[in-house]
Amino acid sequence: MRSASRGLVSVASTGQTASMTHYADPVAVARDGHVAIVTFSRPPHNFADLALIQAIGDAFAAADGDPDVRAIVLQSDGRIFCAGADLARDNPIATDQPAGTRNPFYVAAAQLFAVQTPVVAAIQGSAVGAGLGLALVADFRVAAPEARFVANFVALGFHPGFGISAVLERVIGRQRALLMNLTARRIKAEQAAEWGLVDALVPADRLRAEALALAQEIAAGAPLAVRSTRATMRGDLFALVQRQTDHELAEQAWLLKTADFAEGVRAVNERRPGRFTGR
């Protein structure tokens, strides 16, 4: 696997899972046969910021460029898969940029959907907001019973981002996606499996092994045929996410200035319901 930018260095394939090494960025890459294992770590919450999403994108690009890599496992360290963006302290959406230009965070987020190599995500805990978006990048999600899936945007006085307003309904259908997006309801792993948001539900101590086994099963197929079939079935997903994140950002831009957004962030940080006024 070739090295990617921003400090990502790959670990040579050994036929068994190689030890992972963390670099300047919070992403490490290991190899197990034809599977690249991409692990991100930003304890304790694994918040998503521009550097993290770009680093994952670099790992995906390296996998796409390596003919020996036929599948990817995406996983994270700690109890939480990804708690989304830290809107109170490090909001990647609230950046000054010239009118008509795209937000770098959403450029990087959309680029994840351009990956040509099949992706299996291992979800051990909560996938919230942008963390849900990151889980939706994967073709398959293997989850532990402790996993939770949350589109919490309206609880923050905010509009969904990361392409969720388009991608989620492709996975679970329009009505269920609408329910998640309009209620900010926490969907437990069992219900997520019933809805098709989770493809396999396994005990936490088997999670990574089962995600790797699924990736290896995919990697056992003819690689050109696998990529071709996947590209056909994903269709225009990358272009769709590019368009949708532009729309999402436009909606988020004006909502950022509302009193309800400020109240929503305070309420979430204080672990209480928001007291919204429609202003």
Side-chain angles (χ1 to χ4, degrees):
M1 186 186 293
R2 64 175 173 83
S3 296
S5 60
R6 287 184 269 278
L8 279 177
V9 180
S10 63
V11 181
S13 174
T14 63
Q16 297 180 338
T17 304
S19 61
M20 294 185 185
T21 303
H22 291 274
Y23 300 95
D25 290 314
V27 171
V29 181
R31 279 279 296 280
D32 190 308
H34 292 297
V35 177
I37 304 167
V38 178
T39 306
F40 62 93
S41 182
R42 291 192 69 204
H45 302 295
N46 288 324
F47 281 130
D49 63 3
L50 178 59
L52 175 65
I53 301 305
Q54 286 179 330
I56 294 172
D58 286 343
F60 283 6
D64 276 351
D66 187 338
D68 286 333
V69 174
R70 301 180 183 179
I72 297 169
V73 170
L74 177 65
Q75 60 190 26
S76 66
D77 289 333
R79 292 190 309 106
I80 296 171
F81 175 72
C82 176
D86 187 355
L87 298 180
R89 298 175 181 82
D90 186 23
N91 186 350
I93 310 304
T95 57
D96 294 327
Q97 58 193 81
T101 60
R102 302 189 69 229
N103 181 276
F105 181 75
Y106 281 155
V107 170
Q111 194 62 40
L112 296 181
F113 288 89
V115 64
Q116 299 175 42
T117 307
V119 180
V120 177
I123 315 293
Q124 78 278 23
S126 296
V128 182
L132 173 62
L134 194 55
L136 289 169
V137 171
D139 301 279
F140 302 99
R141 284 154 293 280
V142 179
E146 296 80 8
R148 300 291 183 269
F149 300 86
V150 192
N152 67 329
F153 301 94
V154 295
L156 290 161
F158 211 40
H159 188 285
F162 219 99
I164 289 171
S165 59
V167 180
L168 183 59
E169 75 170 84
R170 278 197 170 198
V171 178
I172 63 174
R174 181 174 178 79
Q175 285 303 111
R176 288 167 174 167
L178 192 63
L179 180 68
M180 288 186 68
N181 279 317
L182 294 190
T183 66
R185 186 180 297 180
R186 296 173 63 85
I187 304 301
K188 295 181 178 180
E190 294 83 356
Q191 187 170 27
E194 291 175 6
W195 286 4
L197 184 56
V198 165
D199 299 284
L201 188 60
V202 299
D205 60 355
R206 287 173 39 206
L207 177 66
R208 291 191 171 187
E210 292 292 335
L212 179 59
L214 176 55
Q216 289 172 330
E217 185 178 358
I218 295 167
L224 296 178
V226 168
R227 281 201 180 194
S228 174
T229 302
R230 179 182 183 271
T232 296
M233 297 190 71
R234 280 173 78 93
D236 65 346
L237 185 59
F238 171 49
L240 172 64
V241 173
Q242 282 186 309
R243 294 192 302 271
Q244 198 72 4
T245 49
D246 285 344
H247 171 77
E248 290 171 341
L249 180 63
E251 292 299 304
Q252 290 175 337
W254 71 267
L255 287 166
L256 277 172
K257 302 172 185 176
T258 64
D260 275 355
F261 173 72
E263 163 61 13
V265 172
R266 282 194 301 269
V268 169
N269 286 335
E270 294 170 9
R271 298 181 181 276
R272 60 171 175 80
R275 296 185 285 268
F276 298 117
T277 63
R279 297 183 177 87

